[in-house]
Amino acid sequence: MEGIGALGKRMREAGFTQVELADAINTHLRADGHEGTVSDRTVRNWLTGETRWPHERQRAALEAVFNCPVTELGFIPRRVSLPHAPPEDSVHRRRFIATSAAAALAATNTPVFASQKRFGMSDVERLQTKFAALIATDFRYGGRRTIETQAVELAEEALTIQNHGTATQRVRGALYGCAASFTSSAMWAAIDGRRFDAAQRHFHRASSLAAMSNDSTIQFRIWSHAGSLYRHMNRPADALAANDVARSLPITRRDSMFACLGHARQAAIHGMTNDSHAVQQTLGHAQDAFERADTTELRPVWMTAVCDRAELETLALSAHLSLGDFEKSEAHAHRSLSLLRPAMQRDRGIVTARLALAQLGQGELESAVNSAVSIPGDIARHPRVGILLREFGELLHVAAPSSQPARSWDEHAGESQKGIS
């Protein structure tokens, strides 16, 4: 069964199904002026070994598709007896082919089957492994220029593969999806770092790549990030419009977890417009969608940070804090902190800073300062956390400028918050 394994392995690497390989073979046959008669059953016969030596035209097409001799695909030539005196035209034909091949090799000095590399799903998986490591760094710190730069480099690597090799339509779509996903991560890193001009450039690039991938999953991420971008830029109308695009994509109907995230982010935007009814309504939709979602379903690596109840609580906290409902904000903050995974250090810092603001809004000065000073120094220097803490310090001095909690905060800020920008 060596032949079966060799062809099957090459098909898996290239991302071919039996039908797709048959289509690719027929395309080559028709390009050479022949009728394309290969079917998925033909391919199945090759895989099972029922057909051990395809027709000459099919062999040529197989070599063109996989860029290697058919013997490397496991096919075994038939043993045939050559006549003692082949016809003169056959002799001339073989001499012409041999001479032409030798001349071509001499001119190019390149192996016959090494002219162009075929890329497959294994290359996509290699890129996704690099992406997973980048996402893990983003979960912990976020916003760093190094994350943004590395994400852009990964996107360029995916596009370079497109331009320097051949692949099936499915693999090409996956590579465009990778490039879009990586660019979306660069966009998020720029949003997180408050580099909004760069974030908008990444958004336009990512949305174009996502359209070429025809993957509504990554399109959801990009448009949902656009909603977050405009929310941070204090442009709620644009934020609502962008998030509506995300919520209308097919993935939200196929997977309730995406619907949950879309509704919860919409609630955070409604909080900015002081629409308490819309906040309650969209949070209710988010809760219903979360309860319908299959939490064990396999999803993209970037969804692992947001497909849990902690994210729902965090967005509810943001919405109620914008509304000035400090009691509900504090309750959501405590629930979020109890649910956040240990690696989510950046998110923990943001939630704790918002908790301090919610406690301050209720007049609980000492608890508020205790919450604020509990944020580790490296996390306090994160741009988004730093902005929240500066807001906290300003509000604290308005509420109780000469109080002991205010003096304690000033002392802490002077010692450990240097360098926040």
Side-chain angles (χ1 to χ4, degrees):
M1 289 300 181
E2 181 181 349
I4 300 172
L7 178 59
K9 181 181 178 181
R10 289 296 187 107
M11 287 176 63
R12 287 192 297 274
E13 289 176 349
F16 278 126
T17 64
Q18 292 180 23
V19 172
E20 289 171 339
L21 178 57
D23 289 342
I25 296 295
N26 287 331
T27 298
H28 279 277
L29 289 172
R30 286 190 285 267
D32 290 337
H34 307 303
E35 186 178 357
T37 58
V38 174
S39 67
D40 60 328
R41 182 172 182 175
T42 309
V43 177
R44 186 161 56 251
N45 289 341
W46 294 340
L47 289 168
T48 60
E50 185 173 336
T51 301
R52 302 185 68 80
W53 190 242
H55 187 276
E56 179 182 4
R57 294 170 181 169
Q58 295 173 352
R59 296 198 304 272
L62 279 163
E63 290 179 344
V65 168
F66 289 105
N67 202 33
C68 69
V70 290
T71 51
E72 290 186 13
L73 301 174
F75 292 109
I76 302 172
R78 297 190 186 95
R79 296 182 179 276
V80 296
S81 298
L82 294 176
H84 293 292
E88 184 178 358
D89 63 339
S90 178
V91 173
H92 288 320
R93 179 173 179 273
R94 287 201 302 275
R95 285 175 178 170
F96 173 75
I97 292 172
T99 303
S100 299
L105 284 174
T108 62
N109 197 28
T110 303
V112 174
F113 297 106
S115 58
Q116 195 172 35
K117 179 175 174 58
R118 173 168 285 277
F119 294 96
M121 292 307 293
S122 60
D123 297 284
V124 175
E125 292 165 3
R126 176 178 56 80
L127 289 170
Q128 291 287 11
T129 299
K130 293 183 179 181
F131 184 48
L134 183 64
I135 287 291
T137 303
D138 180 62
F139 287 173
R140 182 172 181 82
Y141 301 110
R144 293 185 173 180
R145 289 184 184 275
T146 53
I147 296 174
E148 181 183 350
T149 301
Q150 289 170 22
V152 170
E153 289 172 352
L154 276 178
E156 289 303 316
E157 185 175 347
L159 293 175
T160 298
I161 289 175
Q162 294 274 22
N163 295 326
H164 292 82
T166 61
T168 65
Q169 184 176 357
R170 182 162 72 95
V171 172
R172 286 202 177 278
L175 287 169
Y176 277 123
C178 283
S181 187
F182 304 156
T183 307
S184 181
S185 284
M187 173 186 174
W188 180 249
I191 294 170
D192 217 17
R194 314 291 289 185
R195 299 182 295 275
F196 297 141
D197 287 345
Q200 290 183 91
R201 290 194 299 273
H202 294 316
F203 165 59
H204 294 305
R205 179 65 168 151
S207 58
S208 298
L209 292 167
M212 287 187 280
S213 77
N214 198 31
D215 183 350
S216 69
T217 302
I218 186 56
Q219 289 171 353
F220 174 92
R221 186 187 192 211
I222 291 164
W223 281 100
S224 186
H225 278 177
S228 297
L229 168 63
Y230 294 130
R231 175 161 61 93
H232 287 293
M233 294 176 70
N234 199 29
R235 291 165 54 179
D238 291 334
L240 287 170
N243 201 57
D244 276 337
V245 175
R247 296 199 303 162
S248 68
L249 290 166
I251 187 62
T252 62
R253 296 186 288 277
R254 296 199 304 266
D255 189 337
S256 294
M257 193 63 77
F258 284 83
C260 170
L261 182 58
H263 291 311
R265 286 182 171 169
Q266 197 82 337
I269 301 168
H270 282 310
M272 294 179 63
T273 65
N274 204 34
D275 190 339
S276 59
H277 175 73
V279 166
Q280 294 300 331
Q281 186 178 51
T282 48
L283 285 177
H285 292 327
Q287 180 65 39
D288 292 342
F290 184 85
E291 291 173 357
R292 293 195 307 271
D294 180 2
T295 56
T296 64
E297 185 174 335
L298 185 63
R299 295 183 175 87
V301 62
W302 52 264
M303 271 291 283
T304 58
V306 292
C307 60
D308 59 15
R309 192 174 292 277
E311 180 72 4
L312 182 55
E313 296 291 344
T314 298
L315 289 165
L317 159 62
S318 177
H320 285 293
L321 193 62
S322 296
L323 291 174
D325 191 336
F326 301 120
E327 187 175 347
K328 284 186 179 178
S329 299
E330 181 177 6
H332 286 298
H334 285 302
R335 285 197 289 270
S336 178
L337 290 171
S338 70
L339 294 166
L340 278 170
R341 282 160 281 172
M344 311 292 284
Q345 293 299 309
R346 178 265 320 274
D347 285 17
R348 186 171 295 277
I350 292 171
V351 171
T352 303
R354 287 175 175 160
L355 169 62
L357 286 167
Q359 291 168 329
L360 180 60
Q362 297 174 81
E364 300 171 3
L365 304 186
E366 188 172 347
S367 296
V369 170
N370 287 340
S371 294
V373 300
S374 71
I375 300 172
D378 60 331
I379 303 300
R381 285 186 285 275
H382 183 281
R384 286 170 64 194
V385 180
I387 287 172
L388 290 169
L389 290 178
R390 281 199 297 274
E391 180 185 354
F392 170 79
E394 291 167 2
L395 291 173
L396 176 60
H397 278 279
V398 170
S402 302
S403 65
Q404 180 57 45
R407 290 194 296 272
S408 297
W409 171 250
D410 288 342
E411 181 180 351
H412 172 79
E415 292 176 357
S416 65
Q417 289 190 267
K418 293 176 182 178
I420 293 180
S421 60

